[in-house]
Amino acid sequence: MPARKTSLTALELEQGIRGGVRAVLAKAITLAESTHARDQKKIRAVLKRLLPLTGNAIRIGITGVPGVGKSTFIEAFGEVLTRLGKKVAVLTVDPTSQKTKGSILGDKTRMEKLSRNPSVFIRPSPTGTALGGVTYHTREAMLLCEAAGFDVILIETVGVGQSETIVRNMVDFFLLLMLAGAGDELQGIKKGIMEMADGILITKADGNNVKAANEAKADALQALHFQQTPISGWKVKVLTVSSLENKGIEEAWRMIQEYDSHARHSGYLEINRGEQQVKWVDESLEQTFRQELESPKLTRIKSHLINKIRKHDMLPSEAADELWRAIGSKKR
Amino acid sequence: MPARKTSLTALELEQGIRGGVRAVLAKAITLAESTHARDQKKIRAVLKRLLPLTGNAIRIGITGVPGVGKSTFIEAFGEVLTRLGKKVAVLTVDPTSQKTKGSILGDKTRMEKLSRNPSVFIRPSPTGTALGGVTYHTREAMLLCEAAGFDVILIETVGVGQSETIVRNMVDFFLLLMLAGAGDELQGIKKGIMEMADGILITKADGNNVKAANEAKADALQALHFQQTPISGWKVKVLTVSSLENKGIEEAWRMIQEYDSHARHSGYLEINRGEQQVKWVDESLEQTFRQELESPKLTRIKSHLINKIRKHDMLPSEAADELWRAIGSKKR
């Protein structure tokens, strides 16, 4: 997705973002998503100058199986936050979009009311990029939103593949949405996902479903009871919410604020963000490695080496060493 | 694990392996497991000269949950094979050994009778190495065993983590052992594992358990019915076996021979082995990349760059680029 159409200079981009101009923010994110070296160079220059403005938002990851009510919750949650004077950015990480080109999360039309709210910026996942790319760009998009003055960043993901771990690695607070079911309340929830959560919301706690939601809450608390205390020292909370009846939404925000003040006070927030930056470096490096490997030159060398292996002229480990040298020699 | 104690020259190793001397084979595998560059260089020279002798064995992967009866089956299976005049090598890939230093698979004392059989070579997994290392060395050990004249290579693994996929990527035939249970016959079997199998054995089909084993067989066939035909074109078979009563063991061998002649005839065997060599190259390269990254020099540079990131002097993506350049400059 080259971002040719933007004719804004780095300075214009920087100034627009500083001024909180959404159209400029959207263009900057498009640049960050571009695979063109020139676009990347430009957006990096912009981001670097904006770095001092970043890091002031509360970064919240939101996950849950399809049907749990993530978008209706985000709609209700976003309304509460903007009423409290917050500027809210909603970003999505959706690994399904790369495969099917249609995504489980869909696009911003799902959150119709929220998308018309002037204090809200919604940015759906780009389609067609590798998952590594999505997260890479989501991190940059997050920083750009922070520089543009957004106070709360919501990063939404769907319970597929590695996406939760990836989102968990870029947020301060990880919120798991769960559905009260007839039988096993934890059904449909991937193993290990509860260990990642800082807070759990039992959704759709309205009408006939209130009793089941309360039972699901008790079950979740029971399950948490057997878990180790997270290194943050925070005791994971479970709440019931109804996005339809607007119940529990403010409580959810209070829980997150409580976590935030706990994590800031204990120093955990800074430690965690520091570790997340290291992971970002690792992931970027990994991506560079993959890109080099998939370059036409390396692909050509590799098929030549594979031929030698087939003829018993070379060991696979020798071929790997030769490829490694070839990757090095390509660099300027 | 440096292999200092072996004072054999490359030529002595080569000749010993050509002669099928087990003590030399064992020393060669130890060299392959060594992390010392000198040992690696030596064993590569040996392996390269032996390459024309490799590829003649049937490579069989054997997996199943702990308690399914893998070792008793391998004992019975090994006896049948050696009685037919085959030389059998048993290698293990056990990801649990790296963590606990004690392994689920245990060591060769489990297969006491088989280990005294002069036509059998048993090599347990080295402990303390990373999983990547284990597989890397298991591949080399497999080639060394083939060069030493073994006709059948059994690679045993346990249903933990990625180990099945890894073993599947180095064998011709993947054998899944399953237990007949009271309730759900497929219980305890990881999702996707049946898709990898070329043959399924329902174990412990003896005494009171025969009926349950037959039911489990019917269930497995039913489950397979809904699966896509594998690209090999082979129709996956399900058999019941009793290692105790020596029932079904020869049938299992017949099934594997049938597969082998099918795969050779259709050309699939060669295609599959070719693809496995490409995977071997990829894994080796990956390993080199990781090793370079974890070198003292790179670790030092990285922590310096992380400091710059913390001070908002650098973007994580810039740090990744700088690390990438540093990895290149280290190479000779």
Side-chain angles (χ1 to χ4, degrees):
Chain A
M1 227 182 331
R4 291 259 169 271
K5 269 166 226 156
T6 172
S7 51
L8 296 179
T9 64
L11 187 64
E12 286 167 335
L13 284 165
E14 186 195 330
Q15 287 172 337
I17 291 167
R18 278 182 193 272
V21 184
R22 288 133 160 287
V24 176
L25 174 61
K27 279 192 176 155
I29 295 177
T30 303
L31 270 180
E33 286 164 0
S34 163
T35 51
H36 284 240
R38 211 194 324 174
D39 294 339
Q40 282 296 326
K41 203 178 159 195
K42 196 184 205 177
I43 195 64
R44 277 195 192 178
V46 173
L47 246 180
K48 208 169 163 181
R49 294 181 58 87
L50 293 171
L51 274 181
L53 297 179
T54 64
N56 300 316
I58 297 190
R59 302 163 178 176
I60 305 169
I62 299 179
T63 193
V65 293
V68 74
K70 283 189 295 296
S71 7
T72 41
F73 170 73
I74 290 173
E75 282 240 295
F77 193 54
E79 294 299 331
V80 164
L81 292 175
T82 55
R83 234 184 293 129
L84 292 167
K86 302 286 178 197
K87 288 180 71 184
V88 181
V90 183
L91 308 171
T92 60
V93 172
D94 182 357
T96 57
S97 60
Q98 56 173 318
K99 285 175 199 153
T100 58
K101 306 271 167 178
S103 115
I104 292 183
L105 291 172
D107 54 27
K108 62 175 147 188
T109 58
R110 284 179 312 134
M111 298 180 230
E112 228 181 302
K113 200 176 155 205
L114 201 63
S115 67
R116 287 193 305 268
N117 186 320
S119 299
V120 176
F121 177 80
I122 300 182
R123 178 79 180 197
S125 211
T127 50
T129 36
L131 186 54
V134 172
T135 60
Y136 195 78
H137 300 136
T138 306
R139 282 194 167 105
E140 285 166 350
M142 181 174 79
L143 295 183
L144 289 166
C145 290
E146 288 183 342
F150 287 91
D151 310 295
V152 181
I153 318 282
L154 303 179
I155 304 183
E156 184 192 9
T157 188
V158 74
V160 172
Q162 289 282 83
S163 62
E164 280 106 344
T165 313
I166 286 162
V167 171
R168 216 278 152 267
N169 284 342
M170 58 176 96
V171 298
D172 303 320
F173 190 94
F174 196 61
L175 190 61
L176 170 63
L177 269 55
M178 284 172 73
L179 213 51
D184 183 358
E185 307 299 346
L186 306 179
Q187 225 170 15
I189 295 296
K190 269 197 298 190
K191 221 179 145 265
I193 180 83
M194 279 184 78
E195 278 89 349
M196 289 194 229
D198 300 299
I200 295 173
L201 301 185
I202 313 292
T203 56
K204 305 186 184 178
D206 37 43
N208 291 334
N209 212 27
V210 173
K211 191 167 165 269
N214 284 325
E215 284 167 8
K217 177 181 165 176
D219 286 351
L221 283 170
Q222 180 71 10
L224 288 171
H225 185 69
F226 294 105
Q227 260 180 220
Q228 280 193 304
T229 311
I231 34 164
S232 61
W234 165 256
K235 200 168 174 306
V236 181
K237 289 195 167 34
V238 184
L239 304 173
T240 59
V241 296
S242 165
S243 306
L244 275 183
E245 298 179 357
N246 238 322
K247 277 182 192 156
I249 311 294
E250 288 181 34
E251 285 78 0
W253 174 235
R254 268 204 295 279
M255 165 177 72
I256 293 168
Q257 281 182 300
E258 215 180 294
Y259 174 86
D260 187 60
S261 87
H262 162 87
R264 278 178 202 279
H265 194 256
S266 68
Y268 178 75
L269 189 93
E270 213 185 312
I271 293 169
N272 189 38
R273 285 190 173 182
E275 283 170 1
Q276 290 179 344
Q277 282 172 326
V278 176
K279 279 183 195 132
W280 186 355
V281 174
D282 290 342
E283 284 174 20
S284 302
L285 192 58
E286 188 86 28
Q287 208 184 355
T288 307
F289 176 58
R290 305 250 157 269
Q291 276 168 1
E292 293 277 331
L293 249 189
E294 287 159 15
S295 70
K297 185 187 161 195
L298 263 287
T299 308
R300 216 162 42 236
I301 295 177
K302 193 175 167 185
S303 78
H304 170 71
L305 297 174
I306 296 291
N307 272 335
K308 289 182 88 172
I309 294 173
R310 300 254 154 102
K311 285 187 229 145
H312 280 166
D313 266 359
M314 186 175 251
L315 286 168
S317 40
E318 287 178 307
D321 283 358
E322 211 156 298
L323 277 172
W324 181 246
R325 278 191 292 271
I327 287 179
S329 70
K330 209 195 154 196
K331 288 186 259 176
R332 58 269 120 171
Chain B
M1 234 188 321
R4 290 259 170 270
K5 268 166 229 158
T6 172
S7 51
L8 297 179
T9 64
L11 187 65
E12 286 167 336
L13 285 165
E14 187 195 330
Q15 287 172 337
I17 291 167
R18 277 181 194 272
V21 184
R22 287 133 159 285
V24 175
L25 175 61
K27 278 192 177 156
I29 295 177
T30 304
L31 269 181
E33 286 164 0
S34 164
T35 51
H36 285 239
R38 210 194 324 172
D39 295 339
Q40 283 297 326
K41 206 178 155 194
K42 196 184 204 177
I43 195 64
R44 277 196 193 177
V46 173
L47 246 180
K48 209 169 162 182
R49 293 181 57 89
L50 293 171
L51 274 181
L53 298 179
T54 65
N56 300 316
I58 297 190
R59 303 164 178 174
I60 305 168
I62 299 180
T63 193
V65 293
V68 76
K70 283 188 295 295
S71 9
T72 41
F73 170 73
I74 290 174
E75 281 239 296
F77 194 54
E79 294 298 331
V80 164
L81 292 176
T82 55
R83 234 184 295 131
L84 292 167
K86 303 287 177 195
K87 287 182 71 185
V88 181
V90 183
L91 308 171
T92 59
V93 172
D94 181 356
T96 58
S97 60
Q98 56 174 319
K99 284 175 197 150
T100 58
K101 306 272 166 175
S103 112
I104 290 180
L105 291 173
D107 55 27
K108 61 175 146 184
T109 58
R110 283 179 313 133
M111 297 180 230
E112 228 180 302
K113 199 176 156 204
L114 202 62
S115 66
R116 286 193 305 268
N117 186 322
S119 299
V120 177
F121 176 80
I122 301 182
R123 178 79 180 196
S125 211
T127 51
T129 35
L131 186 53
V134 172
T135 59
Y136 194 79
H137 301 136
T138 305
R139 282 194 167 104
E140 286 166 350
M142 181 174 78
L143 296 183
L144 289 166
C145 290
E146 288 183 342
F150 287 90
D151 311 294
V152 181
I153 317 282
L154 304 179
I155 303 184
E156 183 192 9
T157 188
V158 73
V160 172
Q162 290 280 86
S163 62
E164 279 105 344
T165 314
I166 286 163
V167 171
R168 217 277 151 270
N169 283 342
M170 58 176 98
V171 298
D172 303 320
F173 189 94
F174 196 60
L175 189 61
L176 170 62
L177 270 53
M178 285 172 73
L179 214 49
D184 183 358
E185 308 299 346
L186 305 179
Q187 227 171 13
I189 295 295
K190 271 198 296 191
K191 219 177 146 264
I193 180 84
M194 279 184 77
E195 278 89 348
M196 289 193 228
D198 300 301
I200 296 174
L201 301 185
I202 312 293
T203 56
K204 305 185 185 177
D206 37 44
N208 291 334
N209 211 27
V210 173
K211 191 167 166 267
N214 283 326
E215 284 166 9
K217 177 181 166 177
D219 286 351
L221 283 169
Q222 180 72 9
L224 287 171
H225 185 71
F226 294 105
Q227 259 178 220
Q228 280 192 304
T229 310
I231 35 165
S232 61
W234 166 256
K235 199 168 174 305
V236 181
K237 290 197 166 33
V238 185
L239 304 174
T240 58
V241 295
S242 164
S243 306
L244 274 183
E245 299 180 357
N246 239 321
K247 278 183 193 155
I249 311 293
E250 287 181 33
E251 286 78 359
W253 175 235
R254 269 205 293 280
M255 164 176 73
I256 293 168
Q257 281 183 299
E258 215 180 294
Y259 174 87
D260 188 61
S261 87
H262 162 88
R264 278 179 203 277
H265 194 256
S266 68
Y268 178 75
L269 188 92
E270 211 186 313
I271 294 169
N272 189 38
R273 285 191 173 181
E275 283 170 1
Q276 290 179 344
Q277 283 172 326
V278 176
K279 278 183 196 132
W280 186 357
V281 174
D282 290 343
E283 283 173 21
S284 303
L285 192 58
E286 188 86 26
Q287 207 183 356
T288 307
F289 176 58
R290 304 252 158 267
Q291 276 169 1
E292 292 278 328
L293 249 188
E294 286 159 16
S295 71
K297 185 187 161 195
L298 263 288
T299 309
R300 216 162 43 236
I301 296 176
K302 193 176 168 186
S303 78
H304 170 70
L305 297 174
I306 297 291
N307 272 334
K308 289 182 89 172
I309 295 172
R310 300 253 153 102
K311 284 187 227 145
H312 281 165
D313 268 359
M314 186 175 251
L315 286 168
S317 39
E318 288 178 308
D321 283 359
E322 211 155 298
L323 277 172
W324 181 246
R325 278 191 293 270
I327 287 179
S329 70
K330 209 194 154 197
K331 287 186 260 178
R332 60 268 116 169

